[in-house]
Amino acid sequence: GWKDAISTTIINFNNEKMQITWAARELFPSENVSFSYTFDEGTHKVWKPCPTYLLDQDYNSGCLFKTEGPTLAISIRNNNGSEEFYSKRLKSDFYIKPNQPENVTFFWKEDTVTVSCNKPERAVKCLRLELQYKSKFDKDWQSRTSKCCRVGEQGFDPRKCYSLRVRLKRLVPYCNVVNYSSDWEAETLWMNGTLLDSCDDDIKSQSNTVIVLSCLLAILLMILILLILLCKWQRLQKSVMPAIPDPKYVFMDLFDDHNGNFQEWIDKTDHAVVQTKLEYEEPECIIEAESQQEDENSDKQGPQEKIFNFSRAAENNDPKAAQIACLMSASNTISSFAGIQILMNDDMYVMF
């Protein structure tokens, strides 16, 4: 009755190693059993003892050996091998557990991620690549499965941090009688196509960005306030304490033109001032009105012509020439004397 009651667990690790385990303490509490196996077919079988036992409290609870073919026969006996407790014949290919996917790459494009890995050397048609992901706001994993060795999924929110992991699965029941999958590849964290060390990094990065922007705005505001205060201070300073002219600009020509020779500079300056006064000094126009009686006498005597050579009179400091020049320079004054007419011919002025 033990042959039907014994339950074993059979795993073929990527068709490289076989592991068969049983519940030793429950099934054989008082005896340590032995294990043997063979991959030979037909009547001439060669049984091999277990090369490596798995122990449970010093009791043999399993065996680990190399996979040597598609057909396997096992036998569990008592310690000396005289009595068989359990035997079974099976297809080792139906118990394959694949290895982890190798060289896994993630390709992000907008809200879509595509995961790929290297193709295994054997039984690629029996394998499926599974992608699982969840954000920090999700409680359960979401899964997506596709043919080996490429799987894609869309709908990722660029503002969320996601945990992603992948593994290989064997098809059931076409390739396996047991639903075996590989161990999960190392879990990775992503946000908007960027690999992160922790999902807390996105919170820190956002907070750091806010802090930096706040500091920049505060600095700009302080600079603006300082500029306003500086302008107001300059205006106040000019109104309260007017600027004192710098003497170096007043005496610039003393050093540039005269090499610091003060006497030469003062002489030339005085001469220039005198010339300026002579050139631009306007003669004082004094017109003495004669008495009415003299006007009448002049009318009786008739008009008399007085001709002056203005240029020579001006050189001789003739007061009458100065008066004529004054009259010529002030048209409004000339027009007030209706009885006087002045004609100009070359450098001669004739007054009637």
Side-chain angles (χ1 to χ4, degrees):
W2 283 6
K3 291 183 180 181
D4 297 332
I6 291 177
S7 177
T8 57
T9 301
I10 303 169
I11 303 176
N12 184 0
F13 291 102
N14 200 39
N15 210 22
E16 296 173 358
K17 287 185 178 182
M18 297 291 301
Q19 177 181 289
I20 299 176
T21 57
W22 56 87
R25 300 297 297 165
E26 289 80 3
L27 297 175
F28 313 106
S30 58
E31 188 173 359
N32 202 2
V33 298
S34 61
F35 179 86
S36 59
Y37 69 96
T38 183
F39 285 95
D40 297 330
E41 298 182 8
T43 56
H44 301 286
K45 297 179 181 179
V46 178
W47 292 91
K48 298 179 181 179
C50 177
T52 304
Y53 277 105
L54 304 177
L55 302 179
D56 180 12
Q57 298 181 6
D58 296 331
Y59 282 84
N60 297 332
S61 62
C63 182
L64 185 65
F65 53 95
K66 184 179 180 181
T67 303
E68 299 176 0
T71 303
L72 173 65
I74 61 175
S75 175
I76 298 177
R77 297 174 176 270
N78 60 1
N79 192 19
N80 55 20
S82 60
E83 183 181 359
E84 186 178 68
F85 297 144
Y86 177 76
S87 65
K88 188 175 182 178
R89 186 172 178 270
L90 53 93
K91 290 288 186 180
S92 61
D93 292 344
F94 287 168
Y95 296 88
I96 294 178
K97 179 178 180 179
N99 289 338
Q100 290 179 329
E102 298 179 354
N103 194 22
V104 178
T105 58
F106 296 85
F107 176 74
W108 289 79
K109 185 177 181 181
E110 297 179 354
D111 65 337
T112 303
V113 60
T114 303
V115 185
S116 60
C117 67
N118 291 345
K119 289 185 178 182
E121 297 179 358
R122 291 175 291 183
V124 178
K125 295 182 178 179
C126 291
L127 295 174
R128 294 292 181 267
L129 183 62
E130 181 183 7
L131 167 67
Q132 286 192 349
Y133 60 92
K134 69 176 181 178
S135 69
K136 57 184 179 181
F137 303 102
D138 301 326
K139 294 182 179 179
D140 301 324
W141 289 94
Q142 302 182 50
S143 182
R144 175 80 174 185
T145 305
S146 182
K147 292 182 179 180
C148 186
C149 294
R150 185 183 181 92
V151 60
E153 182 67 1
Q154 61 183 5
F156 288 89
D157 190 342
R159 298 168 297 180
K160 294 181 180 180
C161 178
Y162 289 91
S163 301
L164 285 84
R165 61 183 185 180
V166 292
R167 66 178 179 180
L168 290 172
K169 296 179 64 174
R170 289 273 296 185
L171 287 176
V172 177
Y174 305 103
C175 299
N176 263 30
V177 295
V178 182
N179 189 12
Y180 281 148
S181 301
S182 70
D183 295 334
W184 289 105
E185 183 66 17
E187 184 178 331
T188 55
L189 303 175
W190 296 82
M191 180 179 178
N192 196 20
T194 303
L195 183 63
L196 302 177
D197 295 331
S198 172
C199 279
D200 296 333
D201 294 345
D202 63 330
I203 301 175
K204 293 179 180 179
S205 62
Q206 291 178 2
S207 61
N208 291 337
T209 304
V210 172
I211 292 173
V212 171
L213 291 176
S214 301
C215 292
L216 289 176
L217 289 176
I219 292 172
L220 291 176
L221 183 60
M222 291 178 63
I223 293 174
L224 180 61
I225 293 173
L226 289 175
L227 289 175
I228 293 173
L229 292 176
L230 181 61
C231 292
K232 290 187 175 181
W233 169 251
Q234 288 180 350
R235 291 180 181 178
L236 180 62
Q237 189 177 17
K238 288 181 179 179
S239 61
V240 176
M241 295 179 292
I244 300 173
D246 195 344
K248 68 179 181 180
Y249 296 107
V250 178
F251 301 101
M252 185 178 295
D253 55 344
L254 170 62
F255 299 97
D256 294 343
D257 300 337
H258 303 283
N259 296 325
N261 191 334
F262 182 79
Q263 187 62 40
E264 181 182 343
W265 173 75
I266 197 64
D267 292 342
K268 187 172 181 179
T269 303
D270 291 343
H271 180 65
V273 171
V274 170
Q275 271 193 339
T276 304
K277 288 183 178 181
L278 290 177
E279 289 176 0
Y280 294 98
E281 183 177 4
E282 295 183 358
E284 185 177 0
C285 297
I286 302 174
I287 302 174
E288 296 180 358
E290 297 181 356
S291 63
Q292 187 175 359
Q293 184 177 357
E294 291 178 351
D295 292 340
E296 292 177 356
N297 294 333
S298 62
D299 291 339
K300 291 178 181 180
Q301 292 176 359
Q304 296 180 359
E305 296 183 2
K306 294 184 180 180
I307 302 173
F308 300 92
N309 189 322
F310 178 73
S311 60
R312 290 193 298 269
E315 291 176 359
N316 298 326
N317 295 325
D318 193 334
K320 292 184 178 181
Q323 289 182 0
I324 293 174
C326 179
L327 292 175
M328 289 297 295
S329 63
S331 59
N332 57 347
T333 306
I334 296 172
S335 62
S336 63
F337 292 91
I340 298 175
Q341 295 183 2
I342 300 174
L343 299 181
M344 181 181 67
N345 184 10
D346 294 333
D347 61 344
M348 298 296 293
Y349 290 85
V350 180
M351 182 176 66
F352 300 94

